């Protein structure tokens, strides 16, 4: 048995085999080829393998998600047989005496460009499919597997680090736990692990050694320990711990349907944070009062191209409908910093956390912003949608946003498209927004404090930097005072406010938040019932004065 240590960012015990996370590396080099017939044969064999893979994917999808959703794999098979596409690849290999990878990559890029430039929306979208099939052949040519997790059974993922775009693309049913060498507590990958309700460890002192691949192991998210090839005694102990944890979680389910009310009768709303429509099942299972933060940028991260208005509308509408009239607060696109999306073609920045991100991009590239706002307003006719804007630093930004919102509403009205009243709120996650929260409160319907970013900007500590994790002190009085100031300014101006950063689920601060009169806490779905338990055990009147004095 080997034992490794790191930091647990989400509790729970996972038992299963390790799978080394292999990044898709289809970097294409142009090589000169002497034996052209052999290269052509190599390409043709790769194409046959790619088609076989697609057939298998089609059959699997047919059984799991039905014919309509499986159809895409049939379309890809047909595209792989397209004469123009194949002729182009073969021609490049023959005339330029180059490797198959280069020919496939070049053809893929050329065809994708042609499709993107077409007027027809359907044809435009085929550009992503061309890229996809070309990637598939490239992966076969490089001897790799396109699937990052290449097993049928769920596994413990061992990686150096995981970008949010990588995490969202993993097949969630196949992941028992994450173990990464790098990473920080407030990174989006840690947040995603909490949303997925699986144990996750960061900063683990474990090599990415091939010999661990497929080896049986245990991950203890409570202590931050990995046991590789555990002995009988450890296995028995961990199985017991796992059973106890599951039992505790089952006990919490008894709190379903109960109010979030303190012993002295103070009520608070407990909502859920989500990243996509599939998370709603977990939200309902854990009895959230609503959705306090839907990180809509994950829709963009999951795709290879801009999600269309229609695609977004369907997702927002589904979430609103499934939440059946409960509040759904959707945050507009918050990319940049660690959430990089290739097709936005953003320039390299020295300091991306303080760079071109979130609302700054939306106010600059208004067509992207308006597409999202149209989708959101259209979905508002199907449930109770609120919209919230990230990374605000000034009143003028809010005024500009409101003008754009009015334009969108006007357009929809002219087109006879129905929409409902929508609450507009902002994230308070910059010190500037805190300091002018009295002014901002006059312009919006609610505030939601993003403590992850607010802490990083207040303490000048990059939330992504594992080296600084130790001093990333979200209990710092500087941060707590800011939260209190925002609560006071919101209430003095008659609007409600909540917290949707990770701090909302920190049970050692629940009494503090209740004492400040925070109206809503939005947390990962799996943490809702634990928070409800804590609220129900608190007597605010008893603790309030002594807590507020210490801030
Ligand atoms: C935050 O900053 O606290 C927040 C909720 O947003 P994100 O973590 O997505 O940046
Ligand atoms: Mg943020």
């Amino acid at each position: 048995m080997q034992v490794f240590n790191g930091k647990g960012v989400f509790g729970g015990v996972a038992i299963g085999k390790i799978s080394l996370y292999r990044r898709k590396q289809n970097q294409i080099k142009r090589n000169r080829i002497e034996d052209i017939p052999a290269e052509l044969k190599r390409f043709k064999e790769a194409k046959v393998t790619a088609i076989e893979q697609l057939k298998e994917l089609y059959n699997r999808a047919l059984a799991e998600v039905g014919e309509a959703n499986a159809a895409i794999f049939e379309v890809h098979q047909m595209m792989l047989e397209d004469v123009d596409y194949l002729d182009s690849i073969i021609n490049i290999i023959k005339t330029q005496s180059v490797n198959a990878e280069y020919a496939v990559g070049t053809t893929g890029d050329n065809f994708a460009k042609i499709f993107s430039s077409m007027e027809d929306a359907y044809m435009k979208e085929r550009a992503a499919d061309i890229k996809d099939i070309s990637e598939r052949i490239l992966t076969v040519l490089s001897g790799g597997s396109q699937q990052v997790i290449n097993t049928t059974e769920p596994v413990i993922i061992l990686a150096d680090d995981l970008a949010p775009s990588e995490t969202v693309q993993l097949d969630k049913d196949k992941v028992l736990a994450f173990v990464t060498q790098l990473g920080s507590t407030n990174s989006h990958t840690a947040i995603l692990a909490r949303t997925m309700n699986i144990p996750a460890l960061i900063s683990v002192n474990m090599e990415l050694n091939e010999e661990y691949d497929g080896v049986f192991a245990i991950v203890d998210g409570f202590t931050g320990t990995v046991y590789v090839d555990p002995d009988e005694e450890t296995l028995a102990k961990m199985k017991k711990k796992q059973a106890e944890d599951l039992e505790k979680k089952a006990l919490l389910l008894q709190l379903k349907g109960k109010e979030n009310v303190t012993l002295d009768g103070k009520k608070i709303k407990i909502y859920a944070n989500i990243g996509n429509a599939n998370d709603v099942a977990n939200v309902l299972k854990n009895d959230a009062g609503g959705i306090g933060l839907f990180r809509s940028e994950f829709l963009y991260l999951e795709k290879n191209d801009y999600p269309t208005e229609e695609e977004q509308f369907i997702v927002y509408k589904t979430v609103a409908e499934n939440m059946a009239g409960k509040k759904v607060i959707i945050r507009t696109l918050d990319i940049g910093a660690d959430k990089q999306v290739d097709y936005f073609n953003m320039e390299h920045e020295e300091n991306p956390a303080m760079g071109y991100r979130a609302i700054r991009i939306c106010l600059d590239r208004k067509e992207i912003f308006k597409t999202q706002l149209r989708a959101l307003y259209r979905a508002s006719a199907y449930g109770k949608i609120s919209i919230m804007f990230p990374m605000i630093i000034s009143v003028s930004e809010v005024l500009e946003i409101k003008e754009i919102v009015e334009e969108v509403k006007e357009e929809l009205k002219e087109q006879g498209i129905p929409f409902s009243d929508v609450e507009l709120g902002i994230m308070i996650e910059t010190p500037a927004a805190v300091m002018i929260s009295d002014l901002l409160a006059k312009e919006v319907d609610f505030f939601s404090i993003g403590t992850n970013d607010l802490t990083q900007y207040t303490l000048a500590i990059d939330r992504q930097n594992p080296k600084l994790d130790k001093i990333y002190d979200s209990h710092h009085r500087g941060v707590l005072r800011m939260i209190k100031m925002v609560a006071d300014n919101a209430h003095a101006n008659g609007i409600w406010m909540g917290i949707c950063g990770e701090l909302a689920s920190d049970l050692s601060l629940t009494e503090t938040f209740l004492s400040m009169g925070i109206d809503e806490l939005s947390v990962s779905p799996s943490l809702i019932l634990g928070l409800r338990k804590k609220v129900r055990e608190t007597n605010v009147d008893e603790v309030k004065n002594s807590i507020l004095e210490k801030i």
Side-chain angles (χ1 to χ4, degrees):
M1 176 170 83
Q2 285 174 286
V3 182
F4 300 96
N5 295 301
K7 186 169 175 199
V9 292
F10 190 66
V13 174
I15 304 176
K17 283 187 187 154
I18 294 176
S19 174
L20 279 196
Y21 181 79
R22 292 186 179 84
R23 227 156 240 121
K24 291 191 242 166
Q25 271 176 337
N26 287 333
Q27 274 200 355
I28 302 168
K29 287 206 185 81
R30 187 180 200 275
N31 295 328
R32 210 183 145 70
I33 295 295
E34 301 299 335
D35 189 348
I36 298 204
E39 198 60 12
L40 287 172
K41 184 163 170 271
R42 202 164 79 82
F43 163 64
K44 283 178 187 155
E45 281 169 1
K47 189 198 84 177
V48 171
T49 308
I51 289 181
E52 274 164 14
Q53 284 179 355
L54 286 164
K55 279 190 185 143
E56 208 182 298
L57 282 172
Y58 175 78
N59 289 334
R60 236 180 39 217
L62 190 63
E64 286 173 18
V65 291
E67 200 172 341
N69 293 313
I72 185 69
F73 298 117
E74 246 182 358
V75 173
H76 280 194
Q77 283 178 57
M78 274 157 27
M79 290 173 104
L80 269 180
E81 300 282 16
D82 180 79
V83 182
D84 292 334
Y85 178 74
L86 296 178
D87 278 355
S88 164
I89 294 169
I90 292 167
N91 190 41
I92 293 177
I93 297 176
K94 279 187 184 161
T95 55
Q96 301 184 33
S97 304
V98 286
N99 51 330
E101 285 87 345
Y102 179 80
V104 172
T106 309
T107 302
D109 284 350
N110 291 345
F111 275 57
K113 271 191 205 124
I114 297 172
F115 279 104
S116 321
S117 64
M118 290 182 177
E119 284 292 315
D120 185 276
Y122 177 83
M123 297 310 274
K124 245 189 201 331
E125 280 179 27
R126 299 287 72 77
D129 294 315
I130 287 283
K131 280 192 199 148
D132 210 332
I133 59 165
S134 306
E135 275 291 316
R136 182 172 295 281
I137 304 185
L138 287 171
T139 308
V140 178
L141 283 168
S142 69
S145 148
Q146 213 190 17
Q147 273 181 325
V148 178
I149 314 176
N150 200 14
T151 64
T152 45
E153 59 184 321
V155 288
I156 296 163
I157 299 281
L158 174 61
D160 49 355
D161 200 3
L162 289 166
S165 57
E166 292 175 320
T167 317
V168 292
Q169 290 187 31
L170 290 173
D171 179 350
K172 315 274 180 295
D173 297 333
K174 291 213 184 123
V175 186
L176 291 173
F178 291 126
V179 175
T180 61
Q181 291 177 313
L182 302 169
S184 59
T185 318
N186 286 289
S187 67
H188 284 92
T189 296
I191 292 171
L192 279 167
R194 287 190 274 267
T195 311
M196 287 161 72
N197 197 12
I198 57 172
L201 264 54
I202 55 167
S203 305
V204 180
N205 59 343
M206 199 171 164
E207 291 299 312
L208 290 186
N209 203 326
E210 285 288 332
E211 74 188 38
Y212 296 132
D213 203 27
V215 174
F216 189 69
I218 303 171
V219 175
D220 183 344
F222 297 106
T223 58
T225 318
V226 188
Y227 303 91
V228 178
D229 192 15
D231 55 36
E232 283 300 318
E233 197 189 327
T234 309
L235 181 61
K237 206 170 90 193
M238 284 297 140
K239 276 191 172 159
K240 189 160 167 261
K241 191 166 182 179
Q242 189 182 42
E244 282 167 2
D245 177 44
L246 293 176
E247 203 176 309
K248 233 193 241 160
K249 284 179 179 146
L251 262 180
L252 280 179
L253 287 177
Q254 292 179 357
L255 286 177
K256 273 180 84 163
K258 301 247 164 79
E259 272 192 306
N260 308 310
V261 60
T262 61
L263 293 171
D264 53 332
K266 307 258 178 337
K267 288 188 188 162
I268 188 161
K269 293 190 170 74
I270 303 184
Y271 287 2
N273 293 350
I274 63 166
N276 67 42
N278 296 337
D279 294 335
V280 174
N282 221 1
V283 171
L284 296 172
K285 187 175 132 207
N286 289 287
D287 200 24
I291 287 173
L293 167 64
F294 178 172
R295 290 183 162 92
S296 72
E297 59 275 9
F298 286 118
L299 290 183
Y300 293 71
L301 287 173
E302 282 162 4
K303 296 196 48 98
N304 296 324
D305 207 346
Y306 298 97
T308 61
E309 178 185 322
E310 194 60 25
E311 280 169 342
Q312 294 190 57
F313 163 66
I314 290 169
V315 175
Y316 304 146
K317 171 176 175 273
T318 309
V319 174
E321 282 177 342
N322 290 343
M323 288 303 291
K326 288 183 178 161
K327 196 175 278 191
V328 176
I329 304 175
I330 304 180
R331 173 174 77 186
T332 57
L333 182 62
D334 183 18
I335 59 158
D338 62 321
K339 288 176 282 194
Q340 291 292 333
V341 185
D342 287 348
Y343 55 83
F344 271 75
N345 290 325
M346 300 215 279
E347 279 168 28
H348 171 77
E349 292 178 294
E350 284 306 318
N351 204 346
M354 296 201 187
Y356 189 60
R357 55 173 295 195
I359 200 68
R360 300 169 185 180
I361 298 178
C362 288
L363 291 178
D364 196 31
R365 299 179 63 180
K366 293 205 178 65
E367 70 295 349
I368 296 176
F369 194 33
K370 276 182 126 178
T371 302
Q372 180 168 37
L373 288 172
R374 275 182 66 93
L376 286 166
Y377 267 92
R378 282 174 58 196
S380 72
Y382 299 85
K384 198 166 174 203
I385 286 188
S386 305
I387 306 178
M388 151 163 104
F389 305 95
M391 285 295 293
I392 296 296
I393 56 167
S394 70
V395 173
S396 61
E397 279 169 341
V398 177
L399 296 178
E400 196 180 346
I401 290 168
K402 283 178 19 179
E403 254 174 52
I404 299 171
V405 165
E406 281 314 310
E407 278 172 35
V408 166
K409 283 164 67 176
E410 225 21 74
E411 280 169 24
L412 291 173
K413 249 186 239 161
E414 273 167 27
Q415 293 165 348
I417 299 174
F419 58 89
S420 302
D421 274 346
V422 169
E423 261 192 335
L424 297 181
I426 54 172
M427 303 258 321
I428 302 285
E429 49 186 349
T430 62
V434 174
M435 299 312 289
I436 58 165
S437 50
D438 55 333
L439 307 175
L440 291 167
K442 296 184 174 56
E443 300 298 336
V444 295
D445 301 313
F446 67 94
F447 287 156
S448 188
I449 305 185
T451 49
N452 309 332
D453 278 318
L454 184 58
T455 308
Q456 88 162 335
Y457 296 127
T458 304
L459 305 184
I461 290 178
D462 178 359
R463 67 192 261 197
Q464 289 295 117
N465 189 334
K467 272 208 194 110
L468 304 176
D469 224 23
K470 281 198 287 296
I471 56 166
Y472 179 98
D473 175 13
S474 42
H475 290 211
H476 193 290
R477 285 171 84 179
V479 177
L480 296 180
R481 283 183 187 183
M482 288 208 182
I483 297 175
K484 167 99 174 31
M485 186 173 181
V486 174
D488 291 345
N489 279 334
H491 295 147
N493 286 282
I495 66 168
W496 68 268
M497 58 77 62
I499 302 178
C500 63
E502 295 300 288
L503 208 58
S505 58
D506 185 333
L507 300 185
S508 66
L509 284 174
T510 310
E511 291 180 339
T512 307
F513 296 149
L514 285 161
S515 301
M516 290 178 181
I518 306 263
D519 304 287
E520 174 246 20
L521 294 171
S522 192
V523 302
S524 289
S526 50
L527 301 176
I528 290 168
L529 294 173
L531 178 55
R532 174 171 297 168
K533 182 166 180 285
K534 179 73 189 177
V535 168
R536 292 172 66 85
E537 290 165 357
T538 302
N539 187 325
V540 185
D541 273 346
E542 265 177 20
V543 293
K544 187 173 170 177
N545 288 342
S546 67
I547 284 180
L548 294 182
E549 261 167 29
K550 285 193 212 114
I551 290 172

